[in-house]
Amino acid sequence: GAYDDIVINPDGGSVGIGTNAPDSKLEIAGGDYNTSLKIKGGSGNTGIQFEDSGGATDGYIYASGDSIGILDSGSDWTIQCKNDDYIRFATNGNTERLRITSTGGLQLNSGALLKSHSSGSDKGLQIKSTDATQSALELRDTNNNWKATFYGQTSAYGFLDGAWGNWDIKKTVDGPLQIDQGGGLRAV
């Protein structure tokens, strides 16, 4: 049916735009994702503040430059999506914990990059360290007890016998496979 452009419901205190029967404090009916509602800031950023009934800020939906996301009550990014670049997750005063890159990589707060490949010569799971000479994959149980470490460096790769301990199994690049069976590494 026909409706006015803006309707104010005096009984419920509701406002309707594009509807004559708003069912919430503000209802906007019609339009697409890019035409239903526009919030335009006075500077290079804009946002929506969420406040509880006591007046305390709970958080924000925030946009600045090419980024949009969620800020916590302290105005720090918790989720940030940068256009065609990354999605990042942060805690504790904007400390980055995780980033999903535009190429599909998963970057952990240490800077290590975890990426899955399904085609070409790089099939499988790839872990890139921030160190150019060494990298490791350490396995721990739910109580954070060490279980195994696969370690690689420029000249060798293999397993360590403890959490960053001595070599247990070592393969030297272009060299022998060595195993420590108690008494040091010995070529196999």
Side-chain angles (χ1 to χ4, degrees), residues 115-188:
K115 189 172 183 179
S116 175
H117 293 275
S118 59
S119 63
S121 61
D122 292 335
K123 290 183 181 177
L125 184 64
Q126 189 179 84
I127 300 171
K128 290 186 180 177
S129 169
T130 56
D131 188 321
T133 62
Q134 62 183 351
S135 186
L137 175 62
E138 188 173 83
L139 304 177
R140 292 183 173 265
D141 65 18
T142 58
N143 295 319
N144 202 31
N145 297 312
W146 174 86
K147 296 299 177 189
T149 301
F150 180 76
Y151 175 76
Q153 62 188 111
T154 306
S155 61
Y157 59 90
F159 289 93
L160 302 181
D161 67 3
W164 296 98
N166 296 317
W167 288 103
D168 197 23
I169 300 173
K170 179 180 181 182
K171 171 64 174 92
T172 305
V173 177
D174 297 328
L177 174 66
Q178 303 170 65
I179 298 175
D180 183 352
Q181 294 179 324
L185 287 171
R186 296 205 165 125
V188 177

Side-chain angles (χ1 to χ4, degrees), residues 27-41:
E27 181 179 347
I28 301 170
D32 290 323
Y33 76 94
N34 60 351
T35 61
S36 294
L37 175 67
K38 182 186 282 187
I39 299 173
K40 193 170 190 176

Side-chain angles (χ1 to χ4, degrees), residues 30-100:
D32 290 323
Y33 76 94
N34 60 351
T35 61
S36 294
L37 175 67
K38 182 186 282 187
I39 299 173
K40 193 170 190 176
S43 61
N45 58 57
T46 190
I48 301 171
Q49 179 178 352
F50 294 88
E51 201 174 88
D52 66 22
S53 60
T57 297
D58 293 328
Y60 307 84
I61 294 177
Y62 176 73
S64 179
D66 274 356
S67 293
I68 187 166
I70 298 173
L71 305 181
D72 63 16
S73 60
S75 299
D76 294 313
W77 287 106
T78 57
I79 300 173
Q80 178 186 8
C81 177
K82 187 163 191 276
N83 187 43
D84 294 332
D85 194 357
Y86 59 79
I87 300 171
R88 67 186 285 273
F89 300 85
T91 61
N92 302 347
N94 201 24
T95 301
E96 186 170 328
R97 302 296 182 192
L98 179 75
R99 179 181 293 228
I100 302 170

